[in-house]
Amino acid sequence: MASNIFSSVVLTMHGCSSTETVNGGVILCVCVAVLHPYRHILGLWQPDIGPYGGLLNVMVDGLFIIGWMYLPPHDPRVDDPMRRRPLFRVHLWESKKATVECMYGHKGPHKGDIQTVKKDEFSTKCNQTDHHRMPGGRQEEFRTWLEEEWGRTLEEIFHEHMQELILMKFIYTSQYDNCLTYRRIYLPPTMPSDLLQPGLFKGTYGSHGLEIVMLSFHGNSARATKLTGDPNVPAGQLTLDVDLTRPIVLPDLEQQRKIEELSRLVLGIHEEVQREAEQRGKGTSSTVSGAAVGACGGASTAEKMDVDHGASSDNCQSGPSSSSSSSSSPPDTQPFVLPLGVIARNEVYPRTCRKCFYGTGLIAGHGFTSPERTPGLFVQFDEDRFGFIWLELKSFSLYSRLTDHLPHARAPNMERFEAMLHNMQSWTS
C-alpha cells in the first residue's frame, strides 16, 4: 500500500497519469530511472538552428519521454493543426538502464545521447547519422523533406525566390543531423487586463511560409516574438510591437478598400509617435545637460531613444478600458476588408473584427541587415485570430492560435518571462 502511494506521488510529480499505477513497482522503477534523471528537460525549448529556430516540446508519453518538434501546417493554412515529428526518446531496456534514441530519419530509432550543457540548456547527439541517409542520396532526401515541409514538389512552387529560400533552408538545417542545442522557453503569463489570451500563434510570412510567434502583453503594449524565423528576420526577434493606447477606428467598407485611407490613419499616428519620442529625447537631453553644468563635454548620450521599437509603453495614457470586459458580454464587431493592393497569403480571412491598433512590424534585408520597424495595423478578429497589415510591404499576415497541450511550459513569473525574451533576442542578434 505504501509503495503504491509513493509511486503515485512520484508519477504525479513527473507527469505520469494515475492509470499507470497498476503495476506500482514497475512504473516507479521507470519514473526513478527514466524521469528523474531527465526531468529537467520536460517543457518547451527552442533549438539553435541559426535564423530558423523552432519549437520542441519534451513530454511524458506512456513509459517514454519524447521530444516532439512542432511544425506549422502547410502554407498558407494557418487554421490547420500543428504537425509533430519525434526527434528523440528516452526509455528503459531490460537492463533497467535509461536509453536515449535518435528518432530522426526514416530508418527507425537508433543510438543517441542527451547532455546537459548548463541550466535551462541541453544538447542532443545522434551516434548513428548514417541512419539519416537515403538510398537516393541528397536528391531523395530533399524531395522527402520538401514534401513534409511544404506538402508539394519544387516544380509546383513557381516563384523562383521562394524556391531559393526553400533550398537554402534545406541545406542549412540538414547539416545538423539532429545534433542540436536547445534553450528553455516559457509560455507568457496571463493577466486579467490582456486584450486576449496570450500564447503561441501560427502566422503567414509571405515567401517564407508559416512561422510560429509568441504573443505576450506588457502593460500598454502587445508583442509578438518569433519562435521560428527566416534569413530576413530570425527566430527570437520582436516581429510585432502593438501600442494598445492607440486604437484605430476603421471607416466604412468602401473607405477600407482604399490603401490611401489606411495609410492616412496609420501614418498619422506614426508621425505623432515619432514627434513624442523626439520630445522625450529632447527633454532627457536637457535634463542631462542641466545636470552636467560645469562638467567637460556636454554632448548628450540620451539622443538615441528606442524610436525604432514603435510606440513606447511609457505613455501616460491608460490601457484600453474595455479589454477586461469581454468576459461579461461579447465585444462589438465591425466589418473588415483588406485594402485593394494589399497582398494576402491566405484569402480566407475573417470579414469582421473586434478592435484595431497602431503597431510596428520588423523588416530587414537578407542576413538580418538594416532592420527597421515600420508602421502597420494590428487587427484583433476574435480570441484565437489576429492579423497585421504591413503598410510599407503592402502585405497582410494572418495569425491563428496554436491549441496543442503544452505541459510544464508556463513561466513561473513575469520577471523570468521578460528575461527569457531578452535572451531570445540576443541569441540571434
Side-chain angles (χ1 to χ4, degrees):
M1 180 68 178
S3 174
N4 284 339
I5 293 175
F6 179 63
S7 64
S8 298
V9 172
V10 175
L11 292 167
T12 303
M13 288 174 59
H14 297 294
C16 296
S17 65
S18 58
T19 58
E20 294 170 344
T21 62
V22 178
N23 299 317
V26 175
I27 302 299
L28 177 58
C29 181
V30 171
C31 284
V32 171
V34 181
L35 296 186
H36 185 76
Y38 293 96
R39 70 190 185 283
H40 62 283
I41 69 170
L42 296 178
L44 288 185
W45 304 82
Q46 186 177 49
D48 184 6
I49 314 180
Y52 298 104
L55 178 65
L56 180 83
N57 183 25
V58 183
M59 58 191 297
V60 176
D61 193 341
L63 301 183
F64 299 91
I65 289 179
I66 300 182
W68 294 96
M69 182 69 85
Y70 279 66
L71 305 170
H74 293 141
D75 179 58
R77 302 195 293 267
V78 293
D79 288 327
D80 284 4
M82 296 287 288
R83 298 173 294 128
R84 298 196 311 173
R85 178 187 302 160
L87 293 190
F88 63 84
R89 71 181 183 185
V90 184
H91 67 104
L92 278 184
W93 285 109
E94 291 78 2
S95 62
K96 296 182 180 179
K97 179 182 178 182
T99 302
V100 177
E101 291 181 316
C102 175
M103 304 289 288
Y104 189 76
H106 299 268
K107 293 184 179 179
H110 46 283
K111 293 181 181 180
D113 191 21
I114 293 177
Q115 296 179 342
T116 300
V117 180
K118 56 183 178 181
K119 179 177 169 56
D120 292 333
E121 189 173 310
F122 75 94
S123 294
T124 58
K125 181 182 179 182
C126 176
N127 296 328
Q128 294 177 288
T129 55
D130 57 301
H131 279 61
H132 306 167
R133 307 283 78 85
M134 289 185 169
R138 295 289 276 177
Q139 288 188 345
E140 183 183 357
E141 291 169 17
F142 176 62
R143 285 195 298 269
T144 303
W145 176 87
L146 186 62
E147 177 65 29
E148 293 176 348
E149 187 85 5
W150 289 84
R152 62 185 100 167
T153 65
L154 197 64
E155 291 73 25
E156 294 172 323
I157 301 172
F158 302 110
H159 198 288
E160 186 176 341
H161 179 57
M162 186 181 293
Q163 290 181 350
E164 293 174 355
L165 290 172
I166 290 172
L167 184 59
M168 184 189 309
K169 184 174 182 179
F170 169 74
I171 294 173
Y172 191 98
T173 58
S174 61
Q175 67 179 323
Y176 286 91
D177 262 337
N178 207 26
C179 299
L180 294 166
T181 297
Y182 299 88
R183 301 182 179 98
R184 183 180 294 281
I185 57 177
Y186 297 108
L187 294 178
T190 302
M191 302 295 289
S193 59
D194 292 344
L195 183 69
L196 67 156
Q197 179 78 15
L200 306 184
F201 290 78
K202 305 153 282 182
T204 55
Y205 278 85
S207 300
H208 297 296
L210 298 188
E211 299 184 7
I212 306 171
V213 305
M214 176 185 292
L215 180 69
S216 56
F217 293 89
H218 310 260
N220 290 330
S221 68
R223 298 170 188 166
T225 303
K226 282 192 172 189
L227 295 187
T228 60
D230 52 69
N232 290 86
V233 178
Q237 296 300 315
L238 182 65
T239 179
L240 303 180
D241 193 358
V242 183
D243 189 343
L244 300 178
T245 70
R246 300 182 190 272
I248 292 180
V249 179
L250 296 178
D252 59 46
L253 282 178
E254 189 62 33
Q255 292 298 311
Q256 285 185 42
R257 290 187 173 92
K258 300 177 181 179
I259 186 66
E260 298 81 10
E261 180 63 17
L262 177 65
S263 298
R264 183 186 67 81
L265 291 171
V266 175
L267 292 181
I269 297 178
H270 185 64
E271 291 170 0
E272 181 181 304
V273 169
Q274 288 182 315
R275 284 195 301 269
E276 292 179 3
E278 289 174 2
Q279 290 171 0
R280 286 195 300 271
K282 291 177 181 178
T284 306
S285 177
S286 300
T287 303
V288 172
S289 299
V293 172
C296 295
S300 170
T301 59
E303 292 179 0
K304 275 199 166 184
M305 299 294 288
D306 286 336
V307 180
D308 61 325
H309 288 278
S312 169
S313 60
D314 295 337
N315 233 309
C316 60
Q317 302 179 53
S318 60
S321 58
S322 60
S323 62
S324 60
S325 62
S326 59
S327 57
S328 57
S329 61
D332 294 334
T333 60
Q334 59 179 323
F336 175 82
V337 66
L338 286 175
L340 296 175
V342 172
I343 301 172
R345 193 83 182 158
N346 192 331
E347 294 289 347
V348 186
Y349 62 87
R351 290 313 197 263
T352 60
C353 67
R354 293 183 180 179
K355 296 176 182 177
C356 298
F357 297 92
Y358 160 82
T360 60
L362 183 62
I363 63 175
H366 188 84
F368 198 40
T369 55
S370 305
E372 178 187 3
R373 301 214 68 86
T374 61
L377 181 72
F378 176 89
V379 185
Q380 183 202 359
F381 294 113
D382 50 43
E383 285 300 309
D384 296 319
R385 288 176 297 179
F386 65 88
F388 191 80
I389 298 178
W390 306 75
L391 199 57
E392 184 173 323
L393 301 178
K394 290 186 179 179
S395 69
F396 172 71
S397 290
L398 177 64
Y399 301 83
S400 179
R401 186 181 297 278
L402 191 155
T403 57
D404 300 70
H405 179 54
L406 303 173
H408 312 289
R410 190 65 58 182
N413 51 58
M414 195 63 181
E415 290 73 19
R416 185 79 66 86
F417 179 75
E418 293 273 12
M420 179 209 74
L421 287 183
H422 176 75
N423 290 334
M424 284 177 66
Q425 292 189 30
S426 67
W427 296 340
T428 53
S429 295

